[in-house]
Amino acid sequence: MREQEKKLPVLEIFGPTVQGEGMVIGRKTMFVRTAGCDYRCVWCDSAFTWDGSGKDRIRMMTASQIVDELISLGGERFNHVTISGGNPALLAQLTPLIQVCHEQQWTVALETQGSRYQPWFLEIDELTISPKPPSSTMETDWEVLDEIVTTLTENNRQFCLKVVIMDELDFTYAKQVHQRYDNVPFYVQVGNDHIEEQDTKQLLMYLLERYEWLVEQVMNDDVLRGVYVLPQLHTWLWGNKQGV
């Protein structure tokens, strides 16, 4: 089978909506969410991508089929596509999708935790590397992360690092990441550990308090100087609802 015919496991295609996090926060975008992840973060808000609960929703789609659906849903109302997961970096066959998006003159953004490198990273327009902090219960492979950051830097790619913060241990971890890669644009973002909360207003009040806490921590810190402090915008708007 030719590479362009290889299929991708797709769980969701939706939009246009606003990007809720990272260096493209607030950006009007379409989303393509792929299935599968090599991590099992305890507070993951997309656990259906890897815990088996979403397996009946997976569609095996070619790049052309995905683009056709993006156009069907978004028409001419967008020029930006976000590939999400799970962890899209598990998919070696993602190159054709990136290429056909570029043929449509669309900008392509992608976020991954930095646990695995793929050559197609160099084709992503806006790449966010988001290593997971202690509260996730996952372990960072610093050797792999070093390789990814070095490769992207040597190839002059546009990318950033982002750490989600739940507590003081995560805050300390974020400082460690920033000090290790001090020349990379760095974002810290308040995390949502209330993933079962269905009352959007109650969740918003909680997340506002957590954001205020994170802002105060960063403002009083002499390591996190050249950083961006973000909320998780889509949770402010839609809570824990999927497909938005």
Short mmCIF file of all heavy atoms in Angstrom, two decimals, residues 83-116:
data_model
loop_
_atom_site.label_atom_id
_atom_site.label_comp_id
_atom_site.label_asym_id
_atom_site.label_seq_id
_atom_site.Cartn_x
_atom_site.Cartn_y
_atom_site.Cartn_z
N ILE A 83 -4.18 18.84 14.81
CA ILE A 83 -4.18 17.39 14.95
C ILE A 83 -3.91 17.07 16.42
O ILE A 83 -2.92 17.51 16.99
CB ILE A 83 -3.12 16.74 14.06
CG1 ILE A 83 -3.35 17.13 12.60
CG2 ILE A 83 -3.15 15.22 14.20
CD1 ILE A 83 -2.25 16.69 11.65
N SER A 84 -4.83 16.32 17.01
CA SER A 84 -4.79 16.09 18.46
C SER A 84 -4.93 14.60 18.75
O SER A 84 -5.04 13.79 17.84
CB SER A 84 -5.92 16.89 19.12
OG SER A 84 -5.88 16.78 20.51
N GLY A 85 -4.92 14.26 20.03
CA GLY A 85 -5.04 12.87 20.42
C GLY A 85 -5.70 12.77 21.78
O GLY A 85 -6.43 13.66 22.18
N GLY A 86 -5.30 11.73 22.58
CA GLY A 86 -4.22 10.81 22.39
C GLY A 86 -2.86 11.44 22.08
O GLY A 86 -2.61 12.59 22.38
N ASN A 87 -2.05 10.63 21.49
CA ASN A 87 -0.73 11.09 21.07
C ASN A 87 -0.55 10.82 19.58
O ASN A 87 -0.22 9.70 19.19
CB ASN A 87 0.38 10.39 21.86
CG ASN A 87 1.76 10.91 21.49
OD1 ASN A 87 1.89 11.91 20.79
ND2 ASN A 87 2.79 10.22 21.94
N PRO A 88 -0.72 11.84 18.74
CA PRO A 88 -0.56 11.64 17.29
C PRO A 88 0.84 11.20 16.90
O PRO A 88 1.02 10.66 15.80
CB PRO A 88 -0.88 13.03 16.71
CG PRO A 88 -1.63 13.75 17.78
CD PRO A 88 -1.10 13.23 19.07
N ALA A 89 1.83 11.41 17.78
CA ALA A 89 3.20 11.03 17.45
C ALA A 89 3.39 9.52 17.41
O ALA A 89 4.46 9.04 17.01
CB ALA A 89 4.18 11.64 18.45
N LEU A 90 2.38 8.74 17.77
CA LEU A 90 2.45 7.29 17.61
C LEU A 90 2.27 6.89 16.15
O LEU A 90 2.58 5.75 15.78
CB LEU A 90 1.35 6.62 18.44
CG LEU A 90 1.44 6.78 19.96
CD1 LEU A 90 0.28 6.03 20.62
CD2 LEU A 90 2.77 6.27 20.49
N LEU A 91 1.80 7.82 15.33
CA LEU A 91 1.42 7.50 13.95
C LEU A 91 2.51 7.91 12.97
O LEU A 91 2.66 9.08 12.63
CB LEU A 91 0.11 8.19 13.59
CG LEU A 91 -1.07 7.89 14.53
CD1 LEU A 91 -2.27 8.75 14.18
CD2 LEU A 91 -1.44 6.41 14.47
N ALA A 92 3.27 6.94 12.49
CA ALA A 92 4.32 7.22 11.52
C ALA A 92 3.74 7.68 10.19
O ALA A 92 4.41 8.37 9.42
CB ALA A 92 5.19 5.98 11.31
N GLN A 93 2.47 7.31 9.91
CA GLN A 93 1.86 7.56 8.61
C GLN A 93 1.11 8.88 8.54
O GLN A 93 0.20 9.05 7.72
CB GLN A 93 0.92 6.40 8.23
CG GLN A 93 -0.37 6.30 9.07
CD GLN A 93 -0.24 5.49 10.33
OE1 GLN A 93 0.80 5.50 10.97
NE2 GLN A 93 -1.30 4.79 10.70
N LEU A 94 1.49 9.86 9.34
CA LEU A 94 0.76 11.13 9.38
C LEU A 94 1.18 12.10 8.28
O LEU A 94 0.48 13.08 8.01
CB LEU A 94 0.96 11.79 10.75
CG LEU A 94 -0.15 12.73 11.24
CD1 LEU A 94 -1.47 12.00 11.33
CD2 LEU A 94 0.22 13.31 12.60
N THR A 95 2.31 11.85 7.64
CA THR A 95 2.83 12.78 6.63
C THR A 95 1.81 13.12 5.54
O THR A 95 1.66 14.31 5.21
CB THR A 95 4.11 12.20 5.99
OG1 THR A 95 5.10 12.03 7.01
CG2 THR A 95 4.66 13.14 4.93
N PRO A 96 1.10 12.16 4.94
CA PRO A 96 0.15 12.52 3.88
C PRO A 96 -0.93 13.50 4.33
O PRO A 96 -1.33 14.38 3.55
CB PRO A 96 -0.45 11.18 3.47
CG PRO A 96 0.61 10.19 3.82
CD PRO A 96 1.22 10.70 5.09
N LEU A 97 -1.40 13.37 5.56
CA LEU A 97 -2.42 14.30 6.05
C LEU A 97 -1.85 15.71 6.15
O LEU A 97 -2.50 16.69 5.75
CB LEU A 97 -2.95 13.85 7.41
CG LEU A 97 -3.97 14.80 8.06
CD1 LEU A 97 -5.19 15.00 7.16
CD2 LEU A 97 -4.40 14.27 9.43
N ILE A 98 -0.65 15.83 6.67
CA ILE A 98 0.00 17.15 6.76
C ILE A 98 0.16 17.74 5.37
O ILE A 98 -0.12 18.92 5.13
CB ILE A 98 1.36 17.03 7.46
CG1 ILE A 98 1.20 16.47 8.87
CG2 ILE A 98 2.06 18.39 7.52
CD1 ILE A 98 2.49 16.02 9.51
N GLN A 99 0.58 16.92 4.43
CA GLN A 99 0.82 17.40 3.07
C GLN A 99 -0.46 17.86 2.38
O GLN A 99 -0.47 18.91 1.73
CB GLN A 99 1.51 16.31 2.25
CG GLN A 99 2.95 16.03 2.70
CD GLN A 99 3.59 14.87 1.98
OE1 GLN A 99 2.90 14.02 1.39
NE2 GLN A 99 4.91 14.82 2.00
N VAL A 100 -1.55 17.08 2.51
CA VAL A 100 -2.79 17.49 1.84
C VAL A 100 -3.39 18.72 2.50
O VAL A 100 -4.04 19.54 1.84
CB VAL A 100 -3.81 16.34 1.76
CG1 VAL A 100 -3.29 15.23 0.86
CG2 VAL A 100 -4.17 15.81 3.14
N CYS A 101 -3.17 18.88 3.81
CA CYS A 101 -3.61 20.12 4.47
C CYS A 101 -2.84 21.31 3.91
O CYS A 101 -3.42 22.38 3.65
CB CYS A 101 -3.41 20.01 5.97
SG CYS A 101 -4.61 18.97 6.84
N HIS A 102 -1.55 21.15 3.73
CA HIS A 102 -0.74 22.23 3.15
C HIS A 102 -1.15 22.53 1.72
O HIS A 102 -1.11 23.69 1.28
CB HIS A 102 0.75 21.87 3.23
CG HIS A 102 1.31 22.00 4.60
ND1 HIS A 102 2.46 21.35 5.01
CD2 HIS A 102 0.90 22.71 5.68
CE1 HIS A 102 2.74 21.66 6.27
NE2 HIS A 102 1.80 22.47 6.70
N GLU A 103 -1.55 21.51 0.98
CA GLU A 103 -2.03 21.73 -0.39
C GLU A 103 -3.30 22.59 -0.39
O GLU A 103 -3.56 23.31 -1.36
CB GLU A 103 -2.30 20.39 -1.06
CG GLU A 103 -1.03 19.61 -1.40
CD GLU A 103 -1.32 18.18 -1.84
OE1 GLU A 103 -2.52 17.84 -1.99
OE2 GLU A 103 -0.36 17.41 -2.02
N GLN A 104 -4.06 22.51 0.68
CA GLN A 104 -5.25 23.33 0.83
C GLN A 104 -4.94 24.73 1.37
O GLN A 104 -5.85 25.51 1.61
CB GLN A 104 -6.25 22.64 1.77
CG GLN A 104 -6.80 21.33 1.26
CD GLN A 104 -7.76 21.51 0.10
OE1 GLN A 104 -8.44 22.53 0.00
NE2 GLN A 104 -7.82 20.53 -0.78
N GLN A 105 -3.65 25.00 1.59
CA GLN A 105 -3.19 26.27 2.19
C GLN A 105 -3.64 26.42 3.62
O GLN A 105 -3.90 27.54 4.09
CB GLN A 105 -3.68 27.46 1.33
CG GLN A 105 -3.28 27.41 -0.13
CD GLN A 105 -1.76 27.40 -0.31
OE1 GLN A 105 -1.08 28.25 0.24
NE2 GLN A 105 -1.25 26.45 -1.09
N TRP A 106 -3.72 25.30 4.34
CA TRP A 106 -4.08 25.33 5.75
C TRP A 106 -2.82 25.24 6.61
O TRP A 106 -1.89 24.49 6.31
CB TRP A 106 -4.99 24.15 6.12
CG TRP A 106 -6.29 24.11 5.39
CD1 TRP A 106 -6.94 25.16 4.79
CD2 TRP A 106 -7.10 22.96 5.17
NE1 TRP A 106 -8.11 24.73 4.22
CE2 TRP A 106 -8.24 23.38 4.43
CE3 TRP A 106 -6.99 21.62 5.54
CZ2 TRP A 106 -9.25 22.49 4.06
CZ3 TRP A 106 -7.99 20.73 5.16
CH2 TRP A 106 -9.10 21.17 4.43
N THR A 107 -2.79 25.98 7.69
CA THR A 107 -1.74 25.85 8.69
C THR A 107 -2.05 24.64 9.58
O THR A 107 -3.21 24.41 9.94
CB THR A 107 -1.68 27.12 9.56
OG1 THR A 107 -1.39 28.24 8.72
CG2 THR A 107 -0.60 27.01 10.63
N VAL A 108 -1.02 23.88 9.92
CA VAL A 108 -1.22 22.67 10.70
C VAL A 108 -0.54 22.80 12.07
O VAL A 108 0.66 23.09 12.16
CB VAL A 108 -0.66 21.43 9.98
CG1 VAL A 108 -0.86 20.17 10.83
CG2 VAL A 108 -1.33 21.26 8.62
N ALA A 109 -1.31 22.61 13.13
CA ALA A 109 -0.80 22.61 14.50
C ALA A 109 -0.94 21.22 15.09
O ALA A 109 -1.84 20.46 14.70
CB ALA A 109 -1.55 23.63 15.35
N LEU A 110 -0.06 20.90 16.03
CA LEU A 110 -0.11 19.58 16.66
C LEU A 110 0.52 19.66 18.04
O LEU A 110 1.49 20.39 18.25
CB LEU A 110 0.62 18.54 15.81
CG LEU A 110 0.58 17.09 16.28
CD1 LEU A 110 0.43 16.14 15.08
CD2 LEU A 110 1.84 16.72 17.07
N GLU A 111 -0.05 18.91 19.00
CA GLU A 111 0.53 18.82 20.34
C GLU A 111 0.84 17.36 20.66
O GLU A 111 0.06 16.46 20.35
CB GLU A 111 -0.41 19.39 21.39
CG GLU A 111 0.16 19.29 22.80
CD GLU A 111 -0.67 20.01 23.85
OE1 GLU A 111 -1.16 21.12 23.56
OE2 GLU A 111 -0.80 19.46 24.96
N THR A 112 2.00 17.14 21.28
CA THR A 112 2.41 15.82 21.72
C THR A 112 3.23 15.97 22.99
O THR A 112 3.78 17.04 23.26
CB THR A 112 3.23 15.10 20.63
OG1 THR A 112 3.67 13.83 21.12
CG2 THR A 112 4.44 15.93 20.21
N GLN A 113 3.33 14.89 23.78
CA GLN A 113 4.02 14.98 25.05
C GLN A 113 5.52 14.86 24.97
O GLN A 113 6.22 14.97 25.99
CB GLN A 113 3.49 13.93 26.03
CG GLN A 113 3.61 12.50 25.54
CD GLN A 113 2.30 12.00 24.99
OE1 GLN A 113 1.63 12.68 24.23
NE2 GLN A 113 1.91 10.80 25.38
N GLY A 114 6.06 14.63 23.79
CA GLY A 114 7.51 14.55 23.66
C GLY A 114 8.09 13.22 24.08
O GLY A 114 9.25 13.13 24.49
N SER A 115 7.29 12.17 23.96
CA SER A 115 7.75 10.82 24.32
C SER A 115 8.26 10.04 23.12
O SER A 115 8.88 8.98 23.29
CB SER A 115 6.60 10.03 24.97
OG SER A 115 5.50 9.94 24.08
N ARG A 116 7.99 10.56 21.93
CA ARG A 116 8.42 9.87 20.71
C ARG A 116 8.62 10.90 19.59
O ARG A 116 7.81 11.81 19.44
CB ARG A 116 7.38 8.84 20.29
CG ARG A 116 7.78 8.01 19.08
CD ARG A 116 6.81 6.91 18.79
NE ARG A 116 6.66 6.00 19.91
CZ ARG A 116 6.03 4.82 19.83
NH1 ARG A 116 5.50 4.43 18.67
NH2 ARG A 116 5.92 4.05 20.89
#
